Amino acid sequence: MIRMIVTACAAVFLLNISTVAAQQAPAGGEPLDGETLFATTCGWCHADGGREAGKGPKLAASERTDEFIVQRIKHGKEGAMPAFQGTYNDEQIAEILKYIRGLKDDPG
Ligand code: HEC
């Protein structure tokens, strides 16, 4: 009788462990990330992740339209900023735009 109870407890214990393990399974591949894209290609001109002016202007709290920003990323500006339409597809540019829109004007 005692043996049966011990076995039952062990079974419940194992069941709990496998439930926990299933819940901790990773959620799958990371999607594209505008912040990473920005940091690797834009950050050395648009300082502090776009929050400060560097070689290029500050982008946080920009009053430009989405359309203007997308066009600027795609086509750049001669003598000032390179064009990125060959580097990034529309989806990636949309992620970067989302990142810029999410910047807070005051980092403090
Ligand atoms: C080589 C430096 C450089 C890099 C790299 C660069 N930019 Fe620029 N960017 C500039 C300069 C300089 C300007 C200002 C151009 C002008 O005179 O209007 C600018 C302007 C802009 C503007 C328009 C801002 C405004 O209000 O007029 C946006 C938006 C922008 N950049 C986004 C980006 C993004 C996003 C990236 C990365 C994909 C990037 N830039 C990479 C130098 C750079």
Side-chain angles (χ1 to χ4, degrees):
M1 180 60 186
I2 287 191
R3 197 184 172 83
M4 250 176 72
I5 293 171
V6 169
T7 310
C9 285
V12 169
F13 182 64
L14 286 174
L15 202 76
N16 281 337
I17 288 185
S18 52
T19 310
V20 169
Q23 281 165 352
Q24 285 171 344
E30 272 299 298
L32 315 154
D33 168 5
E35 184 172 4
T36 307
L37 296 175
F38 192 97
T40 50
T41 26
C42 321
W44 53 286
C45 287
H46 297 280
D48 192 15
R51 295 175 191 87
E52 301 279 338
K55 276 161 70 97
K58 175 176 123 178
L59 301 177
S62 171
E63 286 175 1
R64 305 289 193 181
T65 63
D66 288 0
E67 181 65 16
F68 178 96
I69 291 176
V70 167
Q71 291 305 311
R72 175 54 47 89
I73 296 171
K74 284 187 176 175
H75 303 294
K77 181 156 181 188
E78 224 186 313
M81 176 173 151
F84 289 94
Q85 66 178 345
T87 311
Y88 294 133
N89 61 32
D90 287 353
E91 208 184 330
Q92 291 170 313
I93 291 173
E95 284 300 313
I96 295 172
L97 174 66
K98 218 159 63 180
Y99 164 78
I100 291 172
R101 289 303 189 206
L103 289 171
K104 297 282 173 285
D105 192 19
D106 181 4

